[in-house]
């Protein structure tokens, strides 16, 4: 979403969505077919075959990030999952705000509506990336995390991302172990 990053690569910022959608289809084709012939805006494949094939069949799962309606539609149409982005403030321009469970519920409802509208049969995973507060931080509370994860599950979130804190490897692993013991094990 940062226009200057596109400029640094010589790519028209207004093409970003079309290029992403084209790239997703090109990757899926490359992962599943031999002798791929494709002509895109910024690439040309003339009978290319990608080997070795991914071990995931038919291809690795693709999860689309973003809160916009276009990102949600793209996820429902072309991906195995959708990952809404928590936005605590407006640092992420040009996207819908997802700063609380109600806003997340509204975006998930839009995703389910899109899945239904296109007649998708495959489930759409929903991954909220970044459980806050982080395990190991001063305000981390396992009971709060368990309640929050239950609320996310009730909304339809199927995956969460967790980033424990730690000033070194040992501290990081300790916080990850505590999270596993105090939250994951209890929720199972």
């Amino acid at each position: 979403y940062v226009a200057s990053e596109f400029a640094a690569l010589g790519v028209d910022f207004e093409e970003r969505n079309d290029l992403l959608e084209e790239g997703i289809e090109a990757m899926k084709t490359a992962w599943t077919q031999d002798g791929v012939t494709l002509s895109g805006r910024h690439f040309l494949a003339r009978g290319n075959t990608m080997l070795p094939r991914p071990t995931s069949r038919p291809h690795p799962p693709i999860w689309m990030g973003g809160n916009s309606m276009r990102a949600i539609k793209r996820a429902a149409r072309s991906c195995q999952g959708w990952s809404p982005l928590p936005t605590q403030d407006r640092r992420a321009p040009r996207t819908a705000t997802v700063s609380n469970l109600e806003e997340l519920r509204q975006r998930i409802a839009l995703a389910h509506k899109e899945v239904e509208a296109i007649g998708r049969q495959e489930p759409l995973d929903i991954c909220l990336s970044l459980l806050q507060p982080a395990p190991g931080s001063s305000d981390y509370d396992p009971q709060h995390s368990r309640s929050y994860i239950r609320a996310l599950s009730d909304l339809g979130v199927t995956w969460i991302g967790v980033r424990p804190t730690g000033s070194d490897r040992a501290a990081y692993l300790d916080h990850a172990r505590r999270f596993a013991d105090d939250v994951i094990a209890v929720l199972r």
Side-chain angles (χ1 to χ4, degrees):
Y1 62 84
V2 181
S4 61
E5 292 174 356
F6 286 82
L9 296 171
V11 177
D12 180 4
F13 182 73
E14 297 306 319
E15 284 186 288
R16 70 192 182 284
N17 286 301
D18 294 336
L19 290 172
L20 176 59
E21 290 165 6
E22 180 179 89
I24 290 169
E25 295 311 313
M27 287 186 310
K28 291 191 317 191
T29 301
W31 287 330
T32 59
Q33 296 180 22
D34 292 328
V36 174
T37 301
L38 290 171
S39 180
R41 285 193 172 112
H42 296 282
F43 69 88
L44 177 62
R46 297 181 182 149
N48 298 65
T49 298
M50 189 188 94
L51 296 173
R53 292 267 193 257
T55 57
S56 300
R57 300 286 181 215
H59 54 73
I62 301 170
W63 288 2
M64 179 56 49
N67 299 342
S68 70
M69 198 59 219
R70 186 155 182 182
I72 292 170
K73 286 182 177 188
R74 183 183 303 125
R77 186 179 59 251
S78 301
C79 302
Q80 286 63 54
W82 170 58
S83 185
L85 305 172
T87 51
Q88 298 303 325
D89 56 34
R90 294 302 299 166
R91 282 185 280 172
R94 292 181 289 277
T95 193
T97 302
V98 177
S99 63
N100 58 52
L101 289 177
E102 177 54 25
E103 290 174 345
L104 178 61
R105 185 198 62 72
Q106 292 170 9
R107 300 317 279 176
I108 290 173
L110 290 172
H112 288 283
K113 186 176 179 180
E114 184 61 25
V115 163
E116 186 177 316
I118 64 171
R120 179 186 174 125
Q121 297 301 308
E122 177 187 15
L124 180 68
D125 278 323
I126 298 174
C127 174
L128 187 64
S129 60
L130 206 52
L131 178 64
Q132 292 289 350
S137 64
S138 61
D139 52 349
Y140 170 69
D141 172 18
Q143 184 174 345
H144 169 77
S145 291
R146 289 190 300 268
S147 297
Y148 186 61
I149 290 169
R150 283 186 189 109
L152 293 175
S153 178
D154 291 346
L155 291 178
V157 173
T158 54
W159 295 81
I160 60 163
V162 179
R163 187 184 305 160
T165 61
S167 57
D168 57 29
R169 184 176 185 271
Y172 176 87
L173 291 174
D174 180 56
H175 295 148
R177 266 189 222 99
R178 276 199 238 152
F179 180 79
D181 293 342
D182 297 342
V183 178
I184 296 172
V186 175
L187 289 174
R188 282 192 176 163

